[in-house]
């Protein structure tokens, strides 16, 4: 007999229908009521066994965590919350689970504890919901760009260049670390390495993405990116996924319009396709925040998502933002950990969140940042001080998108590369696009996990990726 997924049963099951379901036992109560879950939906499915009809030793094996196959008829359920249940005729234990050592008990576990058993946490309601929302968002990303005529470009994961110029890269090598080949001057001889040169894991697919846009106009990348920054925060991972669209003939305004439309599309998609999971996550967040004082609690999750859809993002320049921050109460009272020091101050998450949550009370797009705090490839403004950068700031998250119009002028770009002490020869292929048929173009990067965090309301980024990589942690 063919197995039916629980989601399918809940939607289309009919009384009297003979079905086979498979899944993991959440609870078995009164030697009678089995609640199982197969991950297809947040809802557990109730099955009822008549213990007089079955062997006692077999019944004992139905324990929390065990994997079972249940066969029987769908009947009307008297229990609340479910219209049908399964009257079990036969059951089979596919995998036993010792209730004394199974780490997931039918009670609430802390997120910290669940992080320590990341191999089993997908079996909890919370992580099941997060994984389904994560999938839906990934799917919606491809759908959005496909509908807009963008092409999915696969940029390399191993690369020789440092896109962001921050030097936060993981080295890729096959050299024997106990016996590193050296040049006469004592430096490492990368000529002997696998690729015959120094290579790293990519921090961004943008530079290669630009090469694509300079030929097929509108592309996007969606892949893993790696940063060896030692940031132990609830918003940083060493391995995260990034979506990077890159568009020929777009200026900064077109870029902002696309990014705002894209973020709203993703939120709308989640609301339309994951409402049961979002309702569960909303209740979870409410419970989690009960101990917090009223003014520190977040807006209800679904209300918050709808609020984003209904409001235009506030757009202003970095310089205007600095002025607001300088005159803000927390700055004057010395409450910011990093005080605002006029033009040139690199904004920290606390500043970004002040602008979004306290001042404008909506998402914010900041443009025209000082060139000193941004990467080499951004289009220089005529003022000689700022570049055509844009950061999108979200409540609870801070920066969720970073992007810019790109410098398309060959000589300005070369000058900037030299000013920053980068090697021109490393970027010869990149510079070629400015030499041969250059065009105005723009793009941005959305941190996928930060987006999943926002949509699910999870406070820590480690809880929205199946197996987080952070400093001193790369298990599995
Ligand atoms: O602002 P970033 O560094 O921009 C770039 O990499 C550009 N090349 C993007 C582009 O223009 N194509 O990173 C983009 C986004 C950030 O806004 C943030 O959401 C996310 O990537 N991000 C991280 N997410 C999790 N962990 C980290 N360590 C992250 N670093 C950046
Ligand atoms: Mg950034």
């Amino acid at each position: 007999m063919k197995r039916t997924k629980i989601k399918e049963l809940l939607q289309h099951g009919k009384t009297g229908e003979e079905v086979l379901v498979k899944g993991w036992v959440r609870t078995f109560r009164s030697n009678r009521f089995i609640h199982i879950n197969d991950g297809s939906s947040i809802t557990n499915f109730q099955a009822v066994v008549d213990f007089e009809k079955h062997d006692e030793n077999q019944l004992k094996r139905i324990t929390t965590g065990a994997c079972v196959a249940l066969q029987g008829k769908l009947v009307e359920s008297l229990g609340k919350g479910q219209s049908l249940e399964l009257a079990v005729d036969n059951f089979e234990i596919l995998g036993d689970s010792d209730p004394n050592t199974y780490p997931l008990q039918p009670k609430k576990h802390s997120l910290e504890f669940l992080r320590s058993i990341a191999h089993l946490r997908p079996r909890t309601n919370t992580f099941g919901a997060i994984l389904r929302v994560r999938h839906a968002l990934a799917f919606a990303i491809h759908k959005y760009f496909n509908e807009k005529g963008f092409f999915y470009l696969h940029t390399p994961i191993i690369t020789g260049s440092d896109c962001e110029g921050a030097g936060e890269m993981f080295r890729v090598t096959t050299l024997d670390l106990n016996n590193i080949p050296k040049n006469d001057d004592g430096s490492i001889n990368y000529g002997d390495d696998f690729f015959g040169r120094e290579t790293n894991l990519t921090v961004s697919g943008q530079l290669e993405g630009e090469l694509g846009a300079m030929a097929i106009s509108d592309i996007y990348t969606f892949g893993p990116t790696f940063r060896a920054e030692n940031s132990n925060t609830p918003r940083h991972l060493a391995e995260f996924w990034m979506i990077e669209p890159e568009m020929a003939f777009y200026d900064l305004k077109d870029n902002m319009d696309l990014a705002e439309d894209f973020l709203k599309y993703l939120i709308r998609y989640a609301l339309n396709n994951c409402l049961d999971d979002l309702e569960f996550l909303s209740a979870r967040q409410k419970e989690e925040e009960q101990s917090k004082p009223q003014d520190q609690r977040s807006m209800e999750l679904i209300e918050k998502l709808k609020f984003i859809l209904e409001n235009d993002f506030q757009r202003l320049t970095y310089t205007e933002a600095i002025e607001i921050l300088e005159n803000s109460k927390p700055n004057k009272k010395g409450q910011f950990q990093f005080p605002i020091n006029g033009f040139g101050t690199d904004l920290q998450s606390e500043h970004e969140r002040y602008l979004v949550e306290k001042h404008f009370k909506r998402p914010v797009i900041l443009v025209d940042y000082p060139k000193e705090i941004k990467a080499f490839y951004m289009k220089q403004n005529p003022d000689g001080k700022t570049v055509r950068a844009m950061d999108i700031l979200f409540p609870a998250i801070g920066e969720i998108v970073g992007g810019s119009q790109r410098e398309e002028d060959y000589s300005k770009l070369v000058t900037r590369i030299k000013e920053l002490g980068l090697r021109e020869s490393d970027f010869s292929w990149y510079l070629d696009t400015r030499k041969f048929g250059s065009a105005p173009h723009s793009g941005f990067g959305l941190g996928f996990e930060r987006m999943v965090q926002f949509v699910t309301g999870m406070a820590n980024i480690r809880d929205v990726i199946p197996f987080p990589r952070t400093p001193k942690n790369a298990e599995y």
Side-chain angles (χ1 to χ4, degrees), residues 328-342:
S328 70
K329 246 194 221 155
N331 193 53
K332 289 186 165 158
K333 287 188 170 169
Q335 287 161 346
F336 282 141
Q337 196 190 340
F338 299 90
I340 296 291
N341 256 324

Side-chain angles (χ1 to χ4, degrees), residues 164 227 352 374 378 390-391 399 401-403 445 450:
E164 294 305 300
R227 299 210 179 165
E352 297 172 340
K374 290 292 179 187
M378 296 190 182
M390 62 167 212
D391 277 8
E399 181 193 335
V401 162
R450 291 194 188 175

Side-chain angles (χ1 to χ4, degrees), residues 144-145 148-151 153 206 209-221 243-260 262 390 401-406 408 434 439-445:
Y144 178 83
F145 286 120
K148 280 204 141 29
F150 282 56
F151 301 107
L153 185 77
Q206 179 197 323
E210 285 186 50
L211 310 179
M214 288 292 102
I216 55 175
S217 295
D218 295 327
I219 65 93
Y220 69 105
T221 72
I243 299 97
E244 295 184 273
E246 191 71 34
M247 297 74 63
F249 320 119
Y250 270 52
D251 65 12
L252 193 66
K253 162 129 193 337
D254 303 325
N255 203 20
M256 287 191 277
D257 290 346
L258 180 76
E260 182 168 341
F262 173 51
M390 62 167 212
V401 162
S404 65
Q405 186 168 343
R406 320 305 189 188
E408 84 260 24
R434 275 60 170 181
H441 61 289
S442 302
F444 61 85

Side-chain angles (χ1 to χ4, degrees), residues 132-180:
R132 284 185 296 271
V133 173
R134 188 179 161 105
H135 160 79
L137 289 171
F139 181 77
I141 286 162
H142 289 297
K143 187 164 149 59
Y144 178 83
F145 286 120
N146 187 55
E147 282 166 4
K148 280 204 141 29
F150 282 56
F151 301 107
Y152 182 22
L153 185 77
H154 296 96
T155 50
I157 289 171
I158 300 174
T159 169
S161 58
D162 178 5
C163 174
E164 294 305 300
E168 293 163 336
M169 294 176 301
F170 290 100
R171 187 154 295 168
V172 175
T173 181
T174 52
L175 291 177
D176 177 359
L177 296 183
N178 292 313
N179 187 16
I180 298 172

Side-chain angles (χ1 to χ4, degrees), residues 19 52 65 117 165 180 204 252 265 299 314 321 337 350 375 446:
V19 294
E52 284 172 357
I117 51 160
I180 298 172
S204 155
L252 193 66
Y265 177 95
M299 198 191 268
Q314 181 74 42
Q337 196 190 340
E350 55 178 347
L446 168 66

